[in-house]
Amino acid sequence: MTEPFSPEPFSPDTFATEPDRPSRTELRKILRHKRRALSPQQQRQAAQRLARQLLGHPLLYRARHIALYLPNDGEIDPRYYMAQARHRGIRFYLPVLHPLRRGHLVFSPYDFDTQLSPNRFGIPEPDFRDGLGRPPWALDAVLMPLVGFDRHGGRLGMGGGFYDRTFEFVRRTPALAPKLIGLAHDLQRMNLLPVQPWDIPLHAIVTDQGRYKARP
């Protein structure tokens, strides 16, 4: 595993102590720019390396119902993993904006031939119908995109809070928690990220370069 990386011009000491340290909004802008700057070939190679990391990940050995996402805005692509893992009998699901509980997600079955339509954010998602979706607590694992992360499991998302609201139940009933695994390009790694009280902790973070165990 490589040494911790912190995007310039911010060092971990500056981020931790300076009163004018970059806000989470500023960090999102910097890190999103970094991943969008990757060429199509670099994205493809990163996705292939990510697939190898996930195929051998111990948290996914027994998983049979896994949620993932469609890449957007330079996010690392989990579909190379899906293409290989579905031959093991694994079923996959995509997040769908909850039709009744604003700010929450539900999960609908997904395969490469699933019909998709854009939601209000322009992100493609399957149609959701009662009886077809899978509740969050019934998933074995959830692969979620990250904007930034640190090697201790601190994470930075897009700021909408959808995953935090959807999986808030794991604080009360951790036995029901699916394995929550963040995915990112390794260049999105920082030495230190602030943890907010509402952040639902991850079990692990996986990149194209390695695996990181999250803090308890």
Side-chain angles (χ1 to χ4, degrees):
M1 192 174 296
T2 57
E3 288 300 309
F5 168 85
S6 183
E8 294 295 334
F10 307 118
S11 71
D13 291 337
T14 298
F15 186 77
T17 61
E18 290 296 322
D20 59 347
R21 63 186 179 271
S23 68
R24 286 164 73 95
T25 299
E26 292 168 331
L27 286 171
R28 286 188 185 97
K29 182 178 180 180
I30 293 166
L31 294 169
R32 289 173 67 192
H33 174 75
K34 279 182 169 288
R35 69 187 187 188
R36 285 198 302 265
L38 295 171
S39 69
Q41 181 180 4
Q42 289 173 316
Q43 286 280 8
R44 182 171 59 255
Q45 291 172 343
Q48 292 168 345
R49 291 192 293 264
L50 175 74
R52 290 193 289 270
Q53 295 285 350
L54 292 172
L55 286 167
H57 203 293
L59 292 182
L60 297 175
Y61 280 159
R62 297 184 179 181
R64 289 296 175 265
H65 297 275
I66 300 177
L68 43 67
Y69 59 90
L70 299 181
N72 179 53
D73 191 51
E75 293 166 344
I76 197 164
D77 192 343
R79 290 174 297 179
Y80 285 82
Y81 163 68
M82 175 182 167
Q84 299 178 62
R86 65 182 184 148
H87 298 301
R88 299 177 176 180
I90 297 174
R91 297 191 64 183
F92 289 91
Y93 304 80
L94 283 182
V96 177
L97 298 180
H98 200 294
L100 300 177
R101 300 187 67 195
R102 188 172 181 84
H104 288 72
L105 301 171
V106 291
F107 296 89
S108 288
Y110 172 69
D111 206 340
F112 290 113
D113 59 355
T114 300
Q115 286 288 109
L116 304 173
S117 56
N119 61 25
R120 69 175 184 269
F121 299 113
I123 299 174
E125 62 181 27
D127 288 334
F128 175 77
R129 295 184 178 87
D130 287 341
L132 292 182
R134 195 167 184 88
W137 55 264
L139 294 166
D140 296 319
V142 179
L143 308 180
M144 63 180 71
L146 303 179
V147 175
F149 71 97
D150 63 37
R151 61 194 179 95
H152 304 293
R155 65 184 175 89
L156 184 68
M158 286 295 290
F162 287 91
Y163 285 98
D164 290 313
R165 294 188 197 95
T166 301
F167 293 98
E168 196 277 333
F169 69 89
V170 306
R171 297 188 189 277
R172 302 185 304 272
T173 53
L176 293 179
K179 300 303 181 184
L180 303 179
I181 301 173
L183 305 184
H185 297 282
D186 210 78
L187 59 79
Q188 296 169 238
R189 177 162 52 100
M190 298 192 69
N191 281 350
L192 181 66
L193 281 173
V195 177
Q196 300 297 332
W198 55 81
D199 287 343
I200 299 300
L202 302 176
H203 293 88
I205 294 170
V206 181
T207 75
D208 53 311
Q209 298 296 330
R211 307 170 187 171
Y212 302 84
K213 182 181 292 186
R215 65 169 66 87

